[in-house]
Amino acid sequence: MEGPFDRRFLLKGAAGISMLAALPAFGRALPQTMVPQGMVNVRDFGAKGDGSHIDSPAIDRAIAFAAERGGGTVYVPPGSYASYTIHLKSNITLWLDRGATLLAAAVPLTGLPNGGYDAAEPQDPAIAPYQDYGHNHWRNSLIHGEGLHDIAICGDGLIWGKGLSRGHPDTDRPAAELPGVGNKAIALKNCRNVALRDFSILEGGHFALLATGVDNLLIDNLTVDTNRDGFDIDCCRNVRVSNCTLNTPYDDAIVPKSSYALGYPRATENVTITNCHVSGSYVVGTLLDGTFRPLARNRDTWLLGRIKCGTESNGGFKNITISNCVFDQCWGLALETVDGAVMEDVTISNIAMRGCHSPALFLRLGRRMRGPAGAAVGSMRRVLIDNITCQSGSMLPSIIAGVAGHPVEDVQISNIFIDQPGGGDAAMAAIDPPAKEEDYPDPDRFGPLPASGFFIRHARNVDLSHVDVRTWAADARPAFWLKHVEGFDGSYLKMPGGADAFRLEHVTGFRSSAIRDLPDRRIDTVGMVRF
């Protein structure tokens, strides 16, 4: 052969010519002279790539063979490889060539008692109540890895989760809890040194990627067009998500979480999300084919697609950076800690949102406390947000909300332009919304809100500068509604005319300056005032 990556070998494999044909026992180790160093072709282990034959056993054999030699690249040439669970091993790169589709094989609606996808882990009653079913199961997936190191999935191919459950009631897909059913495209647990590059995912099931306890994780240049969550990055450290495009109308797109799924709280920290495009309003598949057909909103269409830290939040979030991202036809950006965790040192910059279905910014510290008894309410502090533009169809303002005795702290928001419908009337302006401290933290749980720009309650040391709020219609609500706030600085603010700029109740340490048509003010303590 000409070299370790001889082109004739790849073409031979891609043409489906099995070098195992001359071997007396299928699956025995190939002679070293027949295999390029570091690369193994799945067709040489029996994979057919015809879209109907179940190829996962052959792919597993190829992975095992490469791993036994110390690692290498398992090559998947063009074709459609119907599969159940594929088992990664350390020091393995799974390479999906352009034209290769890794196809999640179908399972009957009643499940598959014998065969199909690997069974989910036995439910641990000590942790089961603390997160949804999908978050603490990894084995019932198309691609699974646990306790591995130095692994990668790369190439220009496609992972199509056609036969996966969404973990949601459906008439055309089996329930995730049934035997033999898979509900994730890729699930990784307690791994390190992981790279996911360049491939696409269509219909990834409940999670296109569930990564739990994964350290040193790189996700780069993926295109995901899926029917539930995109990337759930749970209890992970040292993560970089870059140059990815996701359409996830039925759930969130990129979601750092810190659940109790490992059986103990573990922080998600040192995370960078940059140069990504997230959307939530297109028919699944039309991002990949480039037609971007709008999806009608209905009972089962949430049109989400956002970037969110939370909701699972037992372990905390530290050192999170989100920059240079586009939100297109989806919900806005959310930071949520409601299960007793600390969220701190978050920077967000250079975000463009268009067709936003919810508040541009949602910062929520709550007390849902879905975790072991005895945990204290968490905290949210040191959050810097800069250079945001949002064109929104929602009447909800941006929200900064803690709970009594536990304020959101040290928030600086600057250079923000928000363009939204307005239209709030005097009755809406008079609302004092319920606290909803123990609810699931979505912004619409509060109901209508009495502000057109920012609703701020239970917060300390908030600084807003160069914030411009505009409404398409006249709005009777104040632009900025503050209650139980200690320390507020507002400068160079612009807001809709015709209503109060501020409504303050139980506010201390208030200062405003350089606001057009308003004198500078300093208020040390106030029970209630409007101006």
Side-chain angles (χ1 to χ4, degrees), residues 108-128:
L109 291 178
T110 55
L112 200 60
N114 297 304
Y117 299 88
D118 286 1
E121 294 86 342
Q123 189 80 343
D124 184 346
I127 66 173

Side-chain angles (χ1 to χ4, degrees), residues 10 13-16 43 48-49 75-81 96-101:
L10 298 182
R43 286 185 179 259
K48 298 186 180 300
Y75 173 68
V76 183
S80 182
Y81 299 84
L96 306 176
D97 204 353
R98 187 178 295 275
T101 297

Side-chain angles (χ1 to χ4, degrees), residues 120 168 174 180 224 360 381 419 525:
H168 194 270
V224 176
R381 58 194 178 220
D419 185 29
T525 303

Side-chain angles (χ1 to χ4, degrees), residues 88 92-94 96 143 151-155 159 185-188 193-201 208-211 214 216-224 230-233 239-244:
L88 294 177
I92 292 296
T93 292
L94 185 64
L96 306 176
I143 301 175
I151 58 176
I153 304 172
C154 301
I159 296 173
I186 303 170
L188 304 173
N193 302 337
V194 176
L196 307 174
R197 291 181 182 271
D198 299 332
F199 57 90
S200 299
I201 299 177
L209 168 67
L210 175 62
V214 176
N216 302 337
L217 171 62
L218 172 66
I219 305 170
D220 182 60
N221 197 37
L222 300 193
T223 303
V224 176
F231 307 146
D232 273 39
I233 300 163
V239 178
R240 181 177 179 87
V241 182
S242 57
N243 309 311
C244 294

Side-chain angles (χ1 to χ4, degrees), residues 478 480 482 488 493 500-504 510 512 515 529-531:
F480 300 93
L482 283 66
F488 176 89
L493 308 179
D500 293 326
F502 291 93
R503 181 189 185 277
L504 311 180
F510 174 92
S512 64
I515 298 175
V529 69
R530 298 169 179 261
F531 59 91

